[in-house]
């Protein structure tokens, strides 16, 4: 699994930021069991983007940084676009959205299905680094 601790090292990047979209609740067609295929279920999505802006500090303007409104909107569209068999597939699709911005050098994506079991939440987490 990728390790992003080196992104906090000032020698690694000049302006390295971790941007987090946490606990986005969505209704998603997700799962392999008949009850999961019957209709959408509640899924909680958390995304951390590791961003390199290539400057000492970005200017105080939205164009200088990764737009988390865009990220949120695209995840919402993705969630309603189709049925996903696996959480892993959903996580990979969300990471692909994140890498649409070239300033994103790494992404950690997690999904959770809180209502499958009465006594536990089942989830998936992936960590991806932009290919060099």
């Amino acid at each position: 699994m990728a390790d992003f601790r080196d992104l906090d090292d000032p020698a690694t990047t000049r302006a390295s930021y971790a941007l987090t979209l946490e606990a986005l609740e969505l209704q998603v067609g997700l799962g392999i069991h008949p009850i999961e295929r019957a209709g959408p279920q509640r899924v909680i999505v958390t995304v951390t983007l590791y961003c390199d802006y290539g400057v000492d500090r970005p200017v105080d303007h939205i164009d200088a940084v990764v737009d988390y409104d865009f990220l949120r909107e695209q995840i919402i569209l993705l969630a309603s676009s189709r049925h996903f068999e696996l959480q892993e597939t959903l996580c990979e699709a969300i990471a692909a959205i994140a890498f649409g911005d070239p300033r994103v050098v790494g992404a950690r994506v997690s999904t959770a299905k809180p209502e499958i079991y009465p006594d536990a939440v089942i989830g998936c987490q992936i960590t991806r680094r932009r290919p060099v």
Side-chain angles (χ1 to χ4, degrees):
M1 183 178 296
D3 183 356
F4 292 105
R5 284 178 287 194
D6 62 322
L7 292 177
D8 293 325
D9 179 356
T12 303
T13 58
R14 289 170 289 192
S16 178
Y17 293 83
L19 193 116
T20 303
L21 175 65
E22 190 169 339
L24 176 61
E25 289 195 30
L26 303 168
Q27 292 293 313
V28 183
L30 177 62
I32 61 169
H33 300 292
I35 194 162
E36 293 175 306
R37 291 178 169 283
Q41 63 180 291
R42 188 163 69 108
V43 175
I44 301 169
V45 175
T46 296
V47 181
T48 301
L49 303 180
Y50 298 92
C51 306
D52 180 357
Y53 297 129
V55 295
D56 289 335
R57 288 182 179 80
V59 296
D60 192 20
H61 191 272
I62 189 61
D63 293 339
V65 297
V66 173
D67 182 356
Y68 51 79
D69 285 335
F70 174 79
L71 175 68
R72 180 181 167 274
E73 291 165 5
Q74 291 301 305
I75 293 170
I76 291 169
L77 286 173
L78 174 68
S80 65
S81 71
R82 59 175 270 221
H83 181 91
F84 293 87
E85 296 284 314
L86 304 173
Q87 290 191 67
E88 291 85 347
T89 306
L90 178 58
C91 287
E92 293 289 355
I94 293 169
I97 291 169
F99 285 120
D101 189 311
R103 298 167 294 185
V104 175
V105 296
R108 181 169 286 129
V109 179
S110 67
T111 57
K113 300 193 299 185
E115 296 163 354
I116 295 300
Y117 301 120
D119 56 354
V121 174
I122 188 70
C124 176
Q125 177 176 296
I126 65 164
T127 304
R128 297 289 178 263
R129 180 183 297 273
R130 179 180 295 283
V132 179

